[in-house]
Amino acid sequence: MTDLCFDSGDESIFTIRTTAPGPTGALPFTGSFLRESPSGDVFGWTQDAGMGWDPSSLGRPEFLMLSTAGGIRQPDGTPTALGFHTGHWEVALLMEEAAAVFKKRGGIPFAAFCSDPCDGRSQGTTGMFDSLPYRNDAAIVLRRLIRSLPTAKGVMGVATCDKGLPAMMMALAGSGHLPGILVPGGVTLLSEEGEDLAKVQSVGARFAHREIDLKTASETACRSCGSPGGGCQFLGTAATTQVIAEALGMSLPHAALIPSGSEAWRDMARRSAVALMEMTSAQNPLSSILTEASLHNALVLHAAFGGSTNLILHLPAIAHAAGLPRPTVEDWQAINQKVPRLVDALPNGPHGFATVQVYLAGGVPEVMLHLRERGLLELDAPTVSGLSLGENLAWWEQSERRQRFREKLRELDGIDPDEVIRPPEKAFPSTITFVKGNLVPEGAVVKSTAIAPELLDEEGVFLHDGPARVFASEEAAIAALKSTGEDRVREGEVLVLAGLGPVGAGMPETYQVTSALRYSSVGKNLAVLTDGRFSGVSTGPCLGHASPEALAGGPIGKLRDGDPVRIRIDTRQLVGTVEFLGHLEEFHARPTHPDLAPDPRLPGDTRLWAALQNASGGSWGGCVYDVDEILRRL
C-alpha cells in the first residue's frame, strides 16, 4: 500500500471549520402550519433551506421527479464516470428541463434516482440473474421514494430502458392516487459507419466462424452507438415500452422514440412538466388515466408495432400495480389475431427501419390514426394531456408537427413515411403466436412476425422437424454455437435451453444465443425452445417462456439429445404447437434431465424473487408480487 492511501501531503486539508452561519432569511411559517403540521413537514423546510432553496418561496406546490439516470456526465457530455448504458446516460438533462419549468411556474421540484442495469451488457453473464428481478426491486424502491415525500403534489418518472422503464411505470401506476406522468428517455441515433446495436452483439460468434476479421469486429463494435444517449435503435423492450407508455395515456402524444439529446426531446420534458402541473390543478390522478380502456389500447399498439415479447411480462405487471385485471394469454392472442402489424422496424423488417425513423414517420399517434379507422381503439380513454385519446388524434391529424416531422424523414433519409408506418391495406401479419403442445402444456410464445419469410410455406406456416439438442445452461449453448468442432450445432437441430426459467436462473434473456443464430451462418435451419426469455430484438423460430419451466416439472426438462421434436407455427392464424414425436408414455415416465439444476451461482435475493413471483402467477402473470396471495400461502 502506498503512502498516498494514508495521507496526500496536501496542506489545504487542514483548513477546516466546525461551524458555519447557515442560510439567511426566515421560513414562511404560519401559526396554523406549526400547530397542525407533522414535525416532518416542518423539518422538511429546514432541509430545503439548508440545501440552498430560497426560504421565502417555500410552501409552494412540490413535484417529485424520479429518474433512472446513471453515470457522472460533465456539462459538455464527457464522462467522469460511466453509466451502465446509453439509455440512462442523458436522462438527467430531461429532469433539468422539467425542473426549470416547475420552478418558473411556481412549483418546487425534487429529484431522486434509482439507476438501472443494461441487458445488453449482462447478456451471457451472471449479471443476467438480476435483470428481471431488478424490475420488481426498483419498482419497490421508486414507490418508497414517492411515499417518502408525502408533501408531493405530483410525480414525474423519467426512464428509458428494458427494466428501468417498466419499473418506473409500475411505481407510477402503484401511486395512482397522485397525478403522474411518464417522460420516455428516447432513443439513440443510427451510426453512419457501424452496425445497429442488435447486429453488433453477434460479433463474437461471427468472428469465431471467420465471417469477420478482428479489425472489422473492433471497428464496427466501436462505432455502433450513433449518439451517446437513448435506448437502442431497434424495437426491443426499451422502445416497445416507450410505445406502451404513450398508448396507456401515461405520456404526452408523440413522446415515445424521440432522439435523445435533441431539442424535440428537451421540449417534450418541458411540456410534460406543464401537463403534470395542470393535472394537479385539475385534481386529476393517474388512476383516472390507467383504465381497462387504456390497457386495451396498449395491447393493440403492441401488436400494431410488432413489439417485444418481454411486454408479456411487463404490461401485466403495470396493470397489477394499477389495480387492473392482468391481461391473459387469451387476451394477447385475441388482440394479435385481429390487429395487423403496421410498423416496419428493426428487428422485424422487411426493411427494418430504426426507431428514430419510426418517430419521424409519426410514431405512436400516426399508427393510432390507422387503428382508429379500423375501430380498434378505445377513443374515450383519458390521457395525461387532459384530453381523450380521440381528441389527441384529432389534433395530431391536422397538426403542423405531423406534417413537418414526416417531411423531415423524406428530407434527411429519402424515406417515404408511409413505408415505415403502413396503412392497413399494406399491413404485415400480426406479431405474436402463442403455442401449446405436449412439451409446453401451459404455453410458449414466439415473435412469429420476425420469422424470415423464406422459412414459411405458401400458407404462411413454419414447420420444423428436428432432433433436440439439449443444453442445461446458456454458456453451454453459446460454446456449441461458436464451436467448429464435433460439439458444434448442426443444421436441423432444435436447440433446447432448459433450466433458464425463474427458478433455475432468474429467467434470463438469451439474446447471446439468438443473435448468433440470426447474424451468423451457423443459424441456418435451426430452432430454439427455452423456458427463459428473449430480448425484444430476437428473431427467427425462437420459442420462449416455455411453461411449466423445466425445474417446476415442465416436460421440456425431460428432453434428451436426439429426441424428435416438431414445431409448427401458422403465422397468419397465429396458432402453433411444439410436440415431442416419440413414445409419449415412455417420455412422461422419464425423470428430469440429470444435468438440470438451479444455477449454483443464483443469488439468494433472486431465488426469493423467483419463489414470490411463482406464488403470484409466475411469468404469465407478469412475475409480480401478489401480496395477498403470498400472505395467504404463508
Side-chain angles (χ1 to χ4, degrees), residues 257-275:
L257 313 181
I258 306 179
S260 180
S262 67
E263 188 55 36
W265 178 78
R266 294 171 182 269
D267 175 72
M268 182 267 298
R270 295 191 290 265
R271 290 185 291 107
S272 296
V274 173

Side-chain angles (χ1 to χ4, degrees), residues 2 8 43 117 135 149 192 195 231 301 346 363 369 425 430 559 612 627-628:
T2 65
S8 66
F43 183 64
R135 185 206 65 181
L149 189 67
E192 293 176 353
E195 297 173 344
L301 264 293
L346 290 166
L369 287 183
E425 61 269 18
S430 291
L559 284 169
L612 294 175
V627 175
D628 291 337

Side-chain angles (χ1 to χ4, degrees), residues 215-474:
K215 182 176 184 292
T216 301
S218 301
E219 292 179 352
T220 296
C222 183
R223 297 171 180 167
S224 287
C225 290
S227 54
C232 292
Q233 305 129 336
F234 47 80
L235 198 69
T237 306
T240 304
T241 310
Q242 293 186 40
V243 167
I244 293 305
E246 190 173 330
L248 285 167
M250 297 177 73
S251 298
L252 290 176
H254 207 214
L257 313 181
I258 306 179
S260 180
S262 67
E263 188 55 36
W265 178 78
R266 294 171 182 269
D267 175 72
M268 182 267 298
R270 295 191 290 265
R271 290 185 291 107
S272 296
V274 173
L276 181 59
M277 297 186 84
E278 291 182 352
M279 290 176 71
T280 302
S281 296
Q283 298 183 324
N284 186 18
L286 188 59
S287 59
S288 68
I289 307 293
L290 296 177
T291 64
E292 291 191 42
S294 65
L295 190 60
H296 167 85
N297 291 336
L299 287 163
V300 169
L301 264 293
H302 180 275
F305 267 78
S308 165
T309 56
N310 274 323
L311 270 293
I312 295 169
L313 298 167
H314 300 319
L315 191 54
I318 296 163
H320 179 261
L324 298 171
R326 286 178 270 178
T328 64
V329 170
E330 290 74 24
D331 295 327
W332 287 99
Q333 193 163 33
I335 290 291
N336 274 271
Q337 286 175 336
K338 66 181 180 182
V339 178
R341 176 168 67 93
L342 304 178
V343 180
D344 181 350
L346 290 166
N348 298 331
H351 181 280
F353 295 101
T355 44
V356 64
Q357 293 166 330
V358 177
Y359 172 75
L360 291 176
V364 172
E366 190 68 22
V367 173
M368 284 181 165
L369 287 183
H370 296 308
L371 297 170
R372 181 190 66 179
E373 301 312 312
R374 296 284 290 267
L376 293 168
L377 294 172
E378 296 286 348
L379 297 175
D380 292 333
T383 73
V384 293
S385 73
L387 301 176
S388 70
L389 178 64
E391 291 170 318
N392 287 346
L393 293 181
W395 161 78
W396 171 259
E397 188 171 22
Q398 303 300 323
S399 69
E400 181 184 6
R401 182 187 184 95
R402 178 193 182 205
Q403 175 187 340
R404 292 185 65 181
F405 273 123
R406 285 167 60 82
E407 185 57 40
K408 183 65 71 172
L409 181 59
R410 293 188 181 94
E411 176 190 321
L412 291 173
D413 297 339
I415 293 172
D416 180 353
D418 289 332
E419 288 300 310
V420 181
I421 297 173
R422 296 193 173 196
E425 61 269 18
K426 295 176 64 179
F428 306 102
S430 291
T431 309
I432 291 175
T433 297
F434 293 91
V435 304
K436 289 289 184 77
N438 60 32
L439 285 175
V440 288
E442 294 179 7
V445 64
V446 59
K447 196 172 184 179
S448 50
T449 192
I451 298 176
E454 59 267 23
L455 299 179
L456 310 179
D457 67 16
E458 63 276 6
E459 302 297 324
V461 173
F462 170 80
L463 183 64
H464 182 100
D465 286 353
R469 178 76 181 276
V470 181
F471 299 97
S473 70
E474 187 183 2

Side-chain angles (χ1 to χ4, degrees), residues 16-41:
I16 197 167
R17 60 192 300 175
T18 59
T19 63
T24 58
L27 297 174
F29 287 149
T30 63
S32 60
F33 180 80
L34 289 173
R35 282 191 297 270
E36 298 169 11
S37 298
S39 64
D41 288 1

Side-chain angles (χ1 to χ4, degrees), residues 151-217:
T151 51
K153 300 299 183 184
V155 184
M156 171 183 285
V158 185
T160 307
C161 279
D162 291 23
K163 301 305 176 298
L165 181 51
M168 186 69 74
M169 293 168 68
M170 290 165 65
L172 292 174
S175 307
H177 62 289
L178 289 169
I181 196 166
L182 193 284
V183 176
V187 298
T188 192
L189 300 180
L190 280 171
S191 169
E192 293 176 353
E193 298 182 47
E195 297 173 344
D196 69 74
L197 292 172
K199 185 175 183 179
V200 75
Q201 293 184 56
S202 67
V203 291
R206 285 182 284 150
F207 175 77
H209 287 277
R210 300 179 181 178
E211 295 164 24
I212 55 173
D213 59 27
L214 187 60
K215 182 176 184 292
T216 301

Side-chain angles (χ1 to χ4, degrees), residues 526-586:
L526 290 169
V528 175
L529 173 64
T530 181
D531 50 8
R533 59 191 176 91
F534 298 128
S535 164
V537 75
S538 293
T539 58
C542 301
L543 287 70
H545 299 230
S547 188
E549 65 175 294
L551 290 170
I556 185 177
K558 296 178 181 292
L559 284 169
R560 304 291 193 270
D561 284 352
D563 280 343
V565 174
R566 169 173 290 173
I567 297 172
R568 185 183 187 277
I569 301 166
D570 186 329
T571 64
R572 296 179 187 170
Q573 300 301 316
L574 301 183
V575 293
T577 55
V578 54
E579 302 272 355
F580 170 78
L581 296 181
H583 191 277
L584 271 180
E585 187 174 345
E586 179 274 329

